[in-house]
Amino acid sequence: MPAPPPKHKPNPKLPRQPLPLLDPERRRRTADEVALGYTAEQAQLEAQRCLQCQKPVCAEACPLHIDIKRFILRIVEGDFQGAHDVISEQSPFPGVCGRVCQHELFCESACVVGKRWDPVAIGSLERFAADHARLRMKELADSYPKPTGKKVALVGSGPASLIAAYDLVRLNYRVTVFEALHQLGGVMAYGIPNFRLPREILHEEIARLQNMGVEFVPDFIVGKTATIEDLFEEGYEAIFIGTGAGLPYLMGIPGENLIGVYTANEFLTRVNLMEAYKFPESPTPVRVGRHTVVVGGGNSAMDAARWAVRLGSDVTILYRRGRAELKARLEEIEHAEEEGVRFEFLAAPVALYGDENGYVREMECIRMELGEPDESGRRAPVPVPGSEFRIPAETVIAAIGQAPNPTLQKSTPQLVTRRGKIVINEWGETSIPKVFAGGDVVRGGSTVILAMKDGRAAARAIHEALSGAREAREEVKA
Amino acid sequence: MSALILDKRQLAPEITWMEVVAPRIQKRWRAGQFIIIRPLEHSERIPLTIVGSNAERQSITMVIQAVGKTTREAVSLEPGDSLCDVVGPLGEPAEICAGERVLCMAGGVGVAELLPVARAYKEAGNTVVALCGARSDSYRILDAELRACCDEVHWATDDGSYGFHGNVVQLLLSLAGPGSFAEGHVIGPIPMMKAAAEATRGWGLKLHASLNPIMIDGTGMCGGCRVTVGGQVRFACVDGPCFDAHEVDFDEMARRNRAYRDLEQIALQHDCKLGLR
Ligand SMILES: Cc1cc2nc3c(=O)[nH]c(=O)nc-3n(C[C@H](O)[C@H](O)[C@H](O)COP(=O)(O)OP(=O)(O)OC[C@H]3O[C@@H](n4cnc5c(N)ncnc54)[C@H](O)[C@@H]3O)c2cc1C
Ligand SMILES: Cc1cc2nc3c(=O)[nH]c(=O)nc-3n(C[C@H](O)[C@H](O)[C@H](O)COP(=O)(O)OP(=O)(O)OC[C@H]3O[C@@H](n4cnc5c(N)ncnc54)[C@H](O)[C@@H]3O)c2cc1C
Ligand code: SF4
Ligand code: FES
C-alpha cells in the first residue's frame, strides 16, 4: 500500500501564480502559443490556494459543472492524470476550455478566495491538467464499445455540437456530426488563432470523440447537400442544429469593397483555416499592408489585430466605445496591448479611400461620445459632428459582429426564426418536432462555454425525447 | 468528402473535363449551381460549376481551365485518384423561364458552365440560341453537347479560324438586336460579360450573368465573394452566383478578382522552385 497522501492544507494567501507567457517581442514574429502554461511546481502551488469549500460555488458557476475542487485536489496530490479524469466526467475539452473560456465570468468570478484575494486560477489549472494528460497519455486512446442505439444527427461541428456528441455517445446513441467546412471545430478551427489555441490540441480533443464512436462528415452542408427532411428519411431520429453565427456584418460605408478590406471572418479564415501565415508554403494568400485598422471590440477584433501584428503590420483597433466596454476576454486585451496593438477608442469609421488600382489606403473616422443607455443597457455612442479625421490603412478588418448563417433555415422555411436566430422552446426544441438547436445560432454571437452549455442541455432533451422520459416529466409537472 | 475520379478528358489546351463520384450532389444539383473543391490535402478551396451528372454512376462532371496553382493541381490528378474535398451543391439554381426565345452566351471555359443552363432552358420549352466564343478553332469545347440541346449554335473565334471572326459580343451584334430575345444567360471572362451587358442594355432583354468572384468558404461565412449589384452588396456564393447582368458592377468585380495576382505568381514560382512541376 502506498502511503496516503499528506493532508491538504489550503493556503489561499499565497500569491496567484502568474501564467508564464512568451515574450511579447517573440510573439510578434511567430504563430507560437502565447501562454506557456504552468510547470508542475507552479500548478501545485496554485492548487494549494483552493480552500476545498464545503459548498463549491465554482462548480455551480461553471456551465458544465466540472467538479473543480476535486480536480484541483488531484493536482495538489500530484495525480495529474487523475485531475484530467475528473474533468472528463463532465467535459472532453479541458485543453480548449482551459485556453479560451472566459473564466473571469464564470468559475473564477464565483471562487470564494476571490472575495479577499485573487481567485484561484482555475482556468490555468484546467489547462495544466489537459496538457499533462495529453503529453503523457497520448498513446492511451479511449476505448469504448461501439454505440448501437438510435441515430442522431448534429449539424455543425462547433463546441455546441461537440459536447452534445460527447454526451449522446456516452448514452449509446449513434451520433453523426455534419460540418460544412473541410475541418472540424467551428469557430475554434476557423476563427480562434493558433497562438491562442494550437490546432493539435483541438484536433486531439476531437479525435477523442472519434475514438468513442462519433462519426464526423466534413464537406456536408445541411440545407444544401441534404435537407433536414432527408436526414429524417435516412433514419436519424433527432437532429441538433449547432450551425453558429457565421454571417458577418458589413460596415456599410463607402469604399467597403476596396481591395484589402476584409471581414474578420475572411481574414481569420484565410490565416487560421487556410494557414495564410505560411504563404507561399500554404496556398492561400492574405494581404496585410503597413497599417492595419481593425474595427470592433470583441474577441474577433483582438484576434484579427494580433494576427496582423504577427504578419508584420502596425495595428490600430478602432472602437466606438471606451476601453471599459470592450467585449473581448480580458487576457486577450492585455496580450494585444503587450504586442503593440494601438487602441483608438470612441471613434467609428465613416468612409474608406483607395488608390487608382482599387487598393484601400485611408480611413476616415469620426469621434464618438457616450450618450444615453441603449436597449443593451450600455451607453450608446453618438457621433460628434465635425470631428472627422483620417488615418492611413492599407488593410481594414471589420470585426463588428455576426448573425446566424441562413442556409439551413432557407431550406426549412417552417423553422421559426427571429432576426435570423432560431427560436427554441423550454425543451431546447425548435418549431419542428425532434429538431433541437443551441449555441450561437440561438443566442447570436456568444461564447464557447455557453454553446457547450446549450449542447449539453440539448443532449439531455434529445435523450428525454427519444427515450420517452420527457412525457413522464411533463405528466409529473401537470 | 473526398471524391473518386472516374474519368478525365482533355477538351482543349489547358481545359480538362473530369467526372467524379458524388452521389449526394448528383441527386440534388440544378443548373447554375457549383461545388467547391480542394484537389489535395493542402490545396486552396476553389469553386467550379457543376456541368453535368450521371445518375447510374452517381457522378457529377466539371470542366477545369488550368490557370493557376490549384487548378493545375486538380487537372494533374488521374482516374483512380480522389479529389480531397468536394462540397456542394452551392449557390442558387439559375432562374429558368419557359416558352421564350432565349440567348445563351459564353466565352472560353464558360461554354462548359453554360451547358447545363442551356439544357435547362431547352427542357423548359424555350427556343435556345447559343453564341460561343473561343480563342481559335482548337479551343472550341463541347460543341456537340451544346448542339444537342440548342436550336442554334454560333461560334466566334478571335483569329477567325472557325465561324465568325471576332469576339462573341461582336457576333451577337451581327445577329441580333433589341427585341430579339426575352431572356438570356451569359458566362465568361469579366470583360466579356461586361461588354455583353453594355451591348444589350435597352434591348428589353433580361440577362442573367453567372459571376465568378474569388471565394473561400462558399457558404456565406466570409464575405470575400461580395459583389455590388444594383448598388447593393450581395454575396455571390449564397445570393448568386447568377445576378442581373445589367445591374452588376463589373469594374469593381474585375478589380477585386485581381487582388492576389502578384501573390499568385509568387505561389506558382514557389512551386517551380520546389520542382513540383
Ligand atoms: C474570432 C473569434 C474569437 C472568439 N474567441 C472566443 C474566446 O476566446 N472564448 C469564447 O468563449 N468564445 C470566443 N468566441 C465565440 C465562440 O467561438 C462562439 O460563441 C462559439 O464557437 C459558438 O459555438 P457554436 O457551436 O454555436 O458554433 P460555431 O463554433 O460557430 O460552429 C458552427 C459550425 O457549423 C458549421 N455550419 C454552419 N452551417 C452549417 C450547415 N448548414 N451544415 C453543416 N455545417 C454548418 C460552420 O461551418 C461551423 O463550423 C470567438 C468567436 C470568434 C468569431
Ligand atoms: C461560382 C464559380 C464557378 C466557377 N466555375 C468554374 C468552372 O467551371 N471551370 C473553371 O475552370 N473555373 C471556374 N471558376 C473559376 C475558378 O474558380 C478559378 O479559375 C480558380 O479559383 C483559380 O484558381 P487557381 O489557384 O488555379 O488560380 P490562381 O492562381 O488563384 O489565379 C489565377 C488567375 O485566376 C484569377 N482568379 C482567381 N480566383 C478566381 C475566381 N474565383 N474566378 C475567376 N478568376 C479567378 C486570378 O485573378 C488570377 O488571374 C469558377 C468560379 C466561380 C466563383
Ligand atoms: S470556490 Fe475557489 S476555493 Fe472554493 S472550491 Fe472552488 S476553486 Fe476552490
Ligand atoms: S465565399 Fe465566403 S461568403 Fe461567399
Side-chain angles (χ1 to χ4, degrees):
Chain A
M1 277 279 279
K7 193 155 166 14
H8 169 46
K9 274 210 240 53
N11 186 359
K13 280 188 255 178
L14 277 174
R16 174 166 157 141
Q17 293 294 310
L19 188 65
L21 302 177
L22 204 64
D23 169 65
E25 264 316 303
R26 274 276 306 282
R27 286 188 228 158
R28 292 169 57 91
R29 282 174 281 119
T30 69
D32 294 351
E33 190 174 9
V34 167
L36 300 170
Y38 284 156
T39 61
E41 293 70 34
Q42 287 172 307
Q44 285 188 290
L45 272 175
E46 182 63 26
Q48 275 174 36
R49 300 180 64 234
C50 170
L51 297 168
Q52 295 293 312
C53 303
Q54 278 292 347
K55 193 170 162 291
V57 283
C58 54
E60 265 166 53
C62 167
L64 297 185
H65 303 309
I66 292 172
D67 192 342
I68 292 169
K69 72 172 209 186
R70 197 150 59 88
F71 98 71
I72 292 182
L73 185 62
R74 294 279 183 279
I75 294 179
V76 173
E77 294 167 349
D79 177 9
F80 303 145
Q81 182 60 35
H84 183 259
D85 294 341
V86 171
I87 299 173
S88 294
E89 291 166 15
Q90 302 305 330
S91 165
F93 305 112
V96 168
C97 291
R99 287 175 167 79
V100 306
C101 205
Q102 286 183 288
H103 299 98
E104 72 263 24
L105 297 184
F106 298 100
C107 55
E108 292 184 19
S109 83
C111 174
V112 171
V113 176
K115 301 278 180 282
R116 280 192 62 185
W117 301 282
D118 283 332
V120 175
I122 301 170
S124 301
L125 289 174
E126 178 181 23
R127 174 197 157 118
F128 169 80
D131 290 355
H132 191 274
R134 194 170 74 88
L135 295 176
R136 299 283 157 79
M137 311 301 273
K138 219 169 175 176
E139 308 81 43
L140 288 182
D142 297 352
S143 58
Y144 286 84
K146 228 179 151 17
T148 55
K150 297 180 174 175
K151 276 171 51 170
V152 177
L154 311 179
V155 186
S157 66
S161 290
L162 291 178
I163 195 127
Y166 184 63
D167 287 0
L168 287 167
V169 82
R170 287 192 297 174
L171 290 164
N172 199 33
Y173 290 97
R174 282 180 294 160
V175 179
T176 309
V177 178
F178 296 101
E179 167 56 51
L181 295 174
H182 61 266
Q183 254 193 32
L184 305 171
V187 173
M188 301 186 295
Y190 74 75
I192 297 181
N194 307 41
F195 54 81
R196 287 216 279 134
L197 177 61
R199 288 304 175 262
E200 314 84 74
I201 288 167
L202 181 62
H203 295 329
E204 277 168 28
E205 294 193 342
I206 292 175
R208 186 168 167 199
L209 299 184
Q210 237 151 355
N211 290 333
M212 294 171 68
V214 176
E215 188 196 356
F216 287 97
V217 184
D219 296 321
F220 193 112
I221 304 180
V222 177
K224 286 285 183 189
T225 313
T227 60
I228 294 274
E229 291 81 22
D230 294 336
L231 295 180
F232 278 125
E233 263 167 43
E234 289 171 27
Y236 292 97
E237 296 192 35
I239 295 171
F240 173 73
I241 304 175
T243 50
L247 183 77
Y249 290 135
L250 299 174
M251 297 179 288
I253 59 174
E256 187 146 47
N257 291 345
L258 290 165
I259 300 169
V261 185
Y262 292 100
T263 67
N265 273 3
E266 177 177 2
F267 184 77
L268 291 168
T269 300
R270 281 182 181 270
V271 184
N272 291 320
L273 188 75
M274 302 308 296
E275 304 191 323
Y277 66 96
K278 294 184 189 158
F279 183 86
E281 276 81 37
S282 72
T284 304
V286 69
R287 200 166 264 296
V288 176
R290 209 149 79 78
H291 301 278
T292 297
V293 181
V294 180
V295 181
N299 282 313
S300 310
M302 297 306 140
D303 287 344
R306 295 173 69 198
W307 258 129
V309 166
R310 283 160 175 76
L311 295 168
S313 194
D314 271 352
V315 183
T316 304
I317 289 184
L318 195 76
Y319 184 49
R320 59 195 184 129
R321 302 175 199 254
R323 190 181 193 282
E325 282 84 24
L326 285 173
K327 286 210 297 196
R329 295 178 74 217
L330 195 59
E331 195 176 300
E332 312 312 333
I333 300 169
E334 289 167 3
H335 291 176
E337 286 169 336
E338 288 163 13
E339 289 160 15
V341 172
R342 269 194 312 275
F343 287 82
E344 189 76 62
F345 291 114
L346 291 167
V350 178
L352 297 167
Y353 299 97
D355 63 16
E356 63 284 1
N357 295 316
Y359 291 87
V360 66
R361 287 287 173 258
E362 259 192 326
M363 177 186 278
E364 183 165 300
C365 314
I366 188 163
R367 287 274 159 227
M368 309 293 274
E369 55 191 16
L370 292 183
E372 297 298 308
D374 61 11
E375 72 261 34
S376 75
R378 299 188 304 169
R379 295 175 62 199
V382 186
V384 179
S387 65
E388 286 85 354
F389 61 101
R390 289 197 182 193
I391 49 177
E394 291 88 35
T395 304
V396 172
I397 304 171
I400 53 173
Q402 39 217 42
N405 185 315
T407 303
L408 184 148
Q409 290 85 318
K410 247 203 224 162
S411 76
T412 323
Q414 66 271 41
L415 204 58
V416 174
T417 58
R418 192 183 308 125
R419 279 196 256 135
K421 295 184 255 187
I422 296 183
V423 176
I424 54 174
N425 65 16
E426 66 199 294
W427 306 105
E429 202 166 12
T430 66
S431 52
I432 305 177
K434 301 273 164 68
V435 177
F436 299 77
D440 279 5
V441 73
V442 170
R443 294 171 180 268
S446 175
T447 57
V448 167
I449 197 70
L450 290 177
M452 286 191 181
K453 178 187 175 175
D454 291 354
R456 166 148 293 164
R460 195 177 54 236
I462 289 170
H463 179 51
E464 286 175 353
L466 295 189
S467 64
R470 185 164 96 189
E471 276 69 29
R473 222 166 85 183
E474 274 168 341
E475 273 163 26
V476 172
K477 255 175 67 180
Chain B
M1 277 197 270
S2 72
L4 177 70
I5 301 171
L6 292 177
D7 201 358
K8 172 179 147 178
R9 258 190 351 245
Q10 198 71 30
L11 298 183
E14 271 129 49
I15 299 184
T16 305
W17 176 94
M18 205 179 249
E19 178 182 13
V20 303
V21 178
R24 298 230 180 228
I25 303 175
Q26 177 268 313
K27 253 181 25 205
R28 294 189 62 86
W29 80 282
R30 308 253 302 276
Q33 289 188 296
F34 64 97
I35 50 178
I36 286 207
I37 70 164
R38 281 199 321 157
L40 308 171
E41 176 77 41
H42 294 289
S43 301
E44 201 163 358
R45 297 168 64 95
I46 59 162
L48 296 170
T49 306
I50 306 170
V51 171
S53 65
N54 182 319
E56 237 163 82
R57 291 151 68 94
Q58 304 204 310
S59 65
I60 57 169
T61 51
M62 58 195 111
V63 171
I64 309 168
Q65 178 167 35
V67 289
K69 178 169 166 164
T70 315
T71 43
R72 288 188 204 186
E73 278 170 355
V75 301
S76 72
L77 298 173
E78 296 296 333
D81 297 338
S82 287
L83 297 176
C84 178
D85 294 280
V86 174
V87 60
L90 298 167
E92 291 294 316
E95 230 180 280
I96 301 294
C97 55
E100 303 281 4
R101 183 175 151 84
V102 297
L103 166 70
C104 281
M105 235 175 123
V109 71
V111 173
E113 303 164 34
L114 182 68
L115 184 59
V117 177
R119 279 202 187 111
Y121 271 134
K122 189 69 206 167
E123 278 161 20
N126 296 285
T127 303
V128 185
V129 179
L131 306 187
C132 302
R135 232 184 294 171
S136 70
D137 190 16
S138 55
Y139 283 88
R140 290 192 307 121
I141 57 172
L142 301 172
D143 182 48
E145 287 81 352
L146 216 52
R147 287 187 193 278
C149 66
C150 295
D151 297 277
E152 292 172 38
V153 176
H154 304 272
W155 282 92
T157 51
D158 294 344
D159 62 359
S161 52
Y162 187 95
F164 180 85
H165 187 167
N167 68 39
V168 67
V169 179
Q170 292 163 339
L171 170 63
L172 169 71
L173 292 173
S174 80
L175 292 176
S180 305
F181 301 100
E183 286 217 26
H185 200 104
V186 55
I187 306 184
I190 298 170
M192 172 249 173
M193 290 195 282
K194 182 184 172 185
E198 289 313 325
T200 57
R201 205 178 287 286
W203 280 22
L205 159 67
K206 187 165 181 200
L207 188 63
H208 305 278
S210 210
L211 304 188
N212 56 352
I214 295 173
M215 294 186 177
I216 305 174
D217 57 303
T219 68
M221 182 265 277
C222 75
C225 64
R226 60 191 190 270
V227 288
T228 302
V229 183
Q232 293 214 315
V233 178
R234 312 292 300 275
F235 289 5
C237 70
V238 286
D239 302 326
C242 305
F243 295 98
D244 182 342
H246 296 122
E247 298 272 312
V248 173
D249 185 342
F250 284 107
D251 293 336
E252 176 187 275
M253 184 176 146
R255 270 199 307 275
R256 285 181 64 83
N257 266 28
R258 283 195 300 267
Y260 297 100
R261 189 165 274 182
D262 49 343
L263 297 172
E264 280 148 7
Q265 283 312 309
I266 293 175
L268 266 182
Q269 278 158 12
H270 178 78
D271 274 5
C272 298
K273 272 213 301 272
L274 294 178
L276 290 182
R277 32 189 55 93

